[in-house]
Structure formats: structure tokens, C-alpha cells
Amino acid sequence: MKNVVLGVTGGIAAYKSAEIVSRLKKLGVHVDVIMTAAAQQFVTPLTFQSLSGSKVVTDMFDTAFVPEIEHISLAKKADILLVAPATANFVGKLANGIADDMLSTVAMACRGQIVIAPAMNTAMYENTVFQENLERLRQRGVRVIEPISGLLACNDVGRGKMQEPKEIVEEVRFLLNRTDELKGKRILVSAGATMESIDPVRFITNRSTGKMGYAVAAEAARRGAEVILVSGRSHEEIPFGLSAFVRVESAEEMYRAIIGYAESSDIIIKAAAVADYTPSSFSDRKLKKSDDDLKIELKRTKDILFELGSRKRADQILVGFAAETNNVLENAASKIKRKNLDLIVANDVTAAGAGFGAKTNIVTLISANGGSEELPMMSKAEVAERIFDKIAELMNS
Ligand code: CTP
């Protein structure tokens, strides 16, 4: 079980931290809460105790000594020490090595990852001393979850509002699960459907939702890689921890974006459903209907994967997807050769529990050396894990 120690300092956003505890608990994380004296002016320890299921630590010199919650044990136990909200005062203490209460003492002794979510009035936030302190902490590896803009408790409108609990917990979850297996590797992923415009209001697209490609990008980031996600149409949430996210529409735009990043990428995974054809001409005015039938002439787009295969470096790994409706394995195997791939993820998009829009997928991983592994139905996140397990095998072979 993962352990998060949540430090709550004295700001009005303290009440929102109750939701942080609740969300972390739902993820199966054990949470210990430390409240500063000022925090207890805003919310009572009982709120956090009820949500965390553990005694809230408020006092450095509690006479009812419990070894589990003594400052050194708490510091040792914390996979992550999250301080939310973090006041200017707390940030100042952390940046300057002051340990004068339970929270600042635990922070001083903590060897795990420290994450802070500052919240304060805009003028305080913009104060040079505060910004210098923040920068100092970043330099030392403290993760800063920047506050957002909005209406503040003091009625000012500006930056200083604590980031939403949901976002904070997303970041913590990402950090808790992260490994450094792919650290130093640059991974380029394409996802989603391309859109080929006919006129200003109409376009041709396909049934891809981007779920599979986004799951691949998320898994790459979880394994510590530097991830660039080039995405066509998709309503999926952008995964956490990407280095870059590039939104494109047409196959031509996707081609340019992908080729631009390809040279410097170690692994390229093309999960996007790219249109093979695009309208031969684009009407910049909306096409008016008439009584006649309409014929739209289509021309071929560039095959991005083929282009990547033809310029592939010996140390680069190229992974394609094959969305098939029949002869899945034969078609996929011939794509490996034709497009010079290392691995292809083949799926029958007509099978129940697989393909476009489904949360699950049923795929076969076929590698250039002829090996093939048929996977049972599993979530797209699990499929992404298996793809990277296979890539790891290929990198070590
Ligand atoms: N792909 C691509 N550029 C295109 C078309 C496809 O890069 N213009 C990539 C997709 O991202 C996917 C792989 O090619 O990784 C396979 O796509 P798919 O549509 O299944 O196959 P095609 O190669 O287009 O062949 P076919 O249409 O004959 O099945």
C-alpha cells in the first residue's frame, strides 16, 4: 500500500483538502494528515480523522506517544509528502530550512518526493521573496502544483487559488505509480482520428476515439519516458505527465507533426487512425445542395507509418497498429514487412469488446522476428502495459 502524508497549512483552501483525502482513500492510498495550528483555525482535525481513518497529527509534543506518528516515522513512511494548501509562510520555512512545528519537521526529515500546492492572495503569490523561495524548492526537486486564477476568498480576482483536488490527486497518483524504466527515452505517440475537410462545415473522419493511443501515451509517461502525443480528434482527457501535446486535424497535419519529431524519438507508436484518402479539393465556401447527387473525389494521403519505416534508424523502435475486419493476422504480418516495423498491434475492430470506442481491447502482438502473442480481452490501459513489456523485450534482445 502506498503512503501519502498530507500536510494542511492555514489557508481557506484547507477545507478543500478534505476532498483530497477522500479521493486518495478511494485510490487505496493510506493517508496520514498533519495539521498546523493555523490550519486548525479553518477546519477541525476531526474532519480529516473521519476521512483518513487515522489520528490526525497536530502537536509535536503529544504526550500520548505513538511511534507510528512520531515525526521521523512519518517522514520515513511517506512515499509522498503533499502539502496542500501550502501557505507563503510554510513555503518560506521549507525553502529556508526552518523546522519549528510537526509539519516543517517532517518535511525536513523527508527523503521521499515532496509536492506542494500553494494557495494565497495574488499579491502574496507574486511577491518576489515568495517566488524566489518557490524556485529554490523546484531546484531541489520539490514538485510545485501551481495555483490557478479565480475569485479569491479576499474578493480579489487573480492567481492564487489552490488547484482543484481532482487535479492534485491526479498528479499525486501519477507520481506514486511512476517508474524510471523508460527514463531518458523519447517516445512519440499518435492517437485519435484525422479529419479531412470538405468545406468549412463538413469533414470526413472515422470511428477512432483515441482511447487506445491515449492509454499508450499515459503508460509511457508512467514509465518515466519523455512523451510527445500527437492527437487527431479525440475527447479523451489529456494524460498526465506528457512533455508535449500536439493537436492536429488532417492526415497531412499529422504527417508534418510526426515527421518533425520522428528523428529525435527512440520509440514511435502509431495508434492514430489516419485517413487513407482526403477530398481532392477543399471548397472555402459551404457547398450548397442541389437536386443532383454529389460526388466527392478523394485522393491518397501520405502513409505516415510507411514513411517512418523507410527512414527508421537501427536503434529506433517502430510500432504500428492494424485495425482489421478480416484476415487479421495475415494482414498485420504483411504490414510489418511493408512498413518496416518492429511490432504491430493487431485487432479485429468488429469483435465484441475490441476496437473503436470500447474501453477494452483484444489484440495480438506480432513482432518482426515472427513471434506472436494473442492477448485476452483486457482494458486499453492493460493493453498499453503489455505493449511496453513487449517493447522492453525487443530493446533487450
Ligand atoms: N497509418 C499511417 N498513415 C496512413 C494510414 C495509416 O501512418 N495514411 C498507420 C496507422 O497509424 C496504423 C497503421 O498505419 O498504425 C495501420 O493502419 P490501417 O488503416 O490498419 O492500415 P493501412 O496500412 O492503412 O492498410 P489497409 O488500409 O490496407 O488496411
Side-chain angles (χ1 to χ4, degrees):
M1 189 187 246
K2 300 281 186 182
N3 288 294
V4 168
V5 173
L6 171 68
V8 184
T9 67
I12 184 58
Y15 82 94
K16 288 194 175 172
S17 301
E19 189 185 335
I20 296 180
V21 179
S22 151
R23 284 180 179 270
L24 286 171
K25 291 293 283 186
K26 281 187 193 135
L27 294 176
V29 174
H30 177 87
V31 186
D32 285 293
V33 180
I34 306 173
M35 296 180 79
T36 62
Q40 293 168 62
Q41 299 292 319
F42 290 92
V43 189
T44 69
L46 185 61
T47 305
F48 287 102
Q49 184 176 308
S50 309
L51 291 166
S52 71
S54 302
K55 184 179 183 313
V56 171
V57 184
T58 52
D59 187 358
M60 188 74 198
F61 305 104
D62 194 341
T63 45
F65 178 78
V66 185
E68 262 283 276
I69 55 170
E70 189 246 341
H71 68 284
I72 298 298
S73 16
L74 274 177
K76 271 193 188 145
K77 185 176 172 186
D79 294 302
I80 286 180
L81 170 63
L82 167 67
V83 184
T87 56
N89 179 51
F90 176 77
V91 170
K93 287 203 281 188
L94 190 62
N96 294 286
I98 296 169
D100 64 352
D101 64 2
M102 189 63 166
L103 181 58
S104 49
T105 312
V106 169
M108 181 77 93
C110 181
R111 290 185 203 268
Q113 173 74 54
I114 299 180
V115 180
I116 58 172
M120 65 203 64
N121 165 274
T122 311
M124 291 172 77
Y125 177 71
E126 287 171 354
N127 181 295
T128 315
V129 178
F130 175 75
Q131 284 298 329
E132 281 171 9
N133 284 337
L134 216 50
E135 191 44 39
R136 217 162 162 184
L137 292 175
R138 278 200 197 93
Q139 300 286 333
R140 289 191 213 132
V142 171
R143 198 85 172 204
V144 178
I145 303 181
E146 291 285 353
I148 49 181
S149 292
L151 176 65
L152 306 177
C154 52
N155 275 331
D156 280 1
V157 176
R159 196 171 176 122
K161 224 167 113 84
M162 186 172 82
Q163 179 57 273
E164 292 303 329
K166 178 173 179 284
E167 306 298 325
I168 293 175
V169 171
E170 266 307 303
E171 180 142 359
V172 169
R173 172 158 78 159
F174 174 75
L175 294 170
L176 283 173
N177 292 331
R178 193 177 54 171
T179 70
D180 56 8
E181 201 180 311
L182 291 172
K183 199 167 173 197
K185 297 276 179 219
R186 186 184 239 208
I187 302 188
L188 177 59
V189 181
S190 80
T194 57
M195 295 157 68
E196 308 301 321
S197 293
I198 299 168
D199 69 12
V201 294
R202 302 176 178 99
F203 56 85
I204 301 173
T205 188
N206 59 62
R207 293 186 190 278
S208 168
T209 57
K211 279 196 171 61
M212 191 61 243
Y214 277 50
V216 167
E219 180 61 14
R222 190 187 74 76
R223 294 190 189 210
E226 185 194 321
V227 183
I228 297 145
L229 175 58
V230 176
S231 174
R233 201 163 82 107
S234 170
H235 299 296
E236 288 298 299
E237 226 173 275
I238 298 172
F240 209 88
L242 301 181
S243 298
F245 177 80
V246 184
R247 176 77 73 186
V248 295
E249 281 197 357
S250 64
E252 178 61 29
E253 274 177 41
M254 183 166 279
Y255 174 85
R256 277 192 244 129
I258 293 286
I259 296 297
Y261 285 110
E263 177 68 30
S264 59
S265 298
D266 302 296
I267 301 168
I268 307 177
I269 304 175
K270 285 235 60 220
V274 186
D276 293 320
Y277 295 93
T278 189
S280 304
S281 60
F282 170 75
S283 163
D284 50 14
R285 290 184 174 190
K286 187 184 165 197
L287 296 177
K288 286 294 186 193
K289 63 176 167 299
S290 72
D291 290 339
D292 300 330
D293 287 345
L294 173 70
K295 283 203 174 67
I296 297 173
E297 200 182 87
L298 303 173
K299 61 178 184 197
R300 277 299 313 267
T301 56
K302 293 177 190 130
D303 188 326
I304 308 171
L305 197 53
F306 180 83
E307 179 71 31
L308 293 171
S310 63
R311 43 169 92 184
K312 190 172 79 170
R313 290 194 320 259
D315 61 340
Q316 223 169 16
I317 289 189
L318 186 55
V319 181
F321 273 70
E324 306 288 352
T325 55
N326 51 289
N327 293 340
V328 179
L329 292 186
E330 298 90 290
N331 287 338
S334 89
K335 270 177 205 170
I336 288 204
K337 286 215 172 64
R338 191 156 38 88
K339 301 192 184 188
N340 192 22
L341 309 180
D342 297 284
L343 181 69
I344 198 153
V345 184
N347 61 335
D348 178 347
V349 288
T350 57
F356 300 131
K359 287 209 166 72
T360 53
N361 212 352
I362 308 168
V363 306
T364 303
L365 305 180
I366 308 165
S367 36
N369 59 21
S372 108
E373 190 182 347
E374 209 179 317
L375 302 179
M377 179 161 83
M378 54 180 76
S379 71
K380 288 185 172 173
E382 284 167 316
V383 172
E385 281 181 39
R386 302 293 281 266
I387 293 171
F388 281 104
D389 290 346
K390 184 58 83 182
I391 290 174
E393 264 176 45
L394 295 178
M395 291 198 306
N396 297 327
S397 68

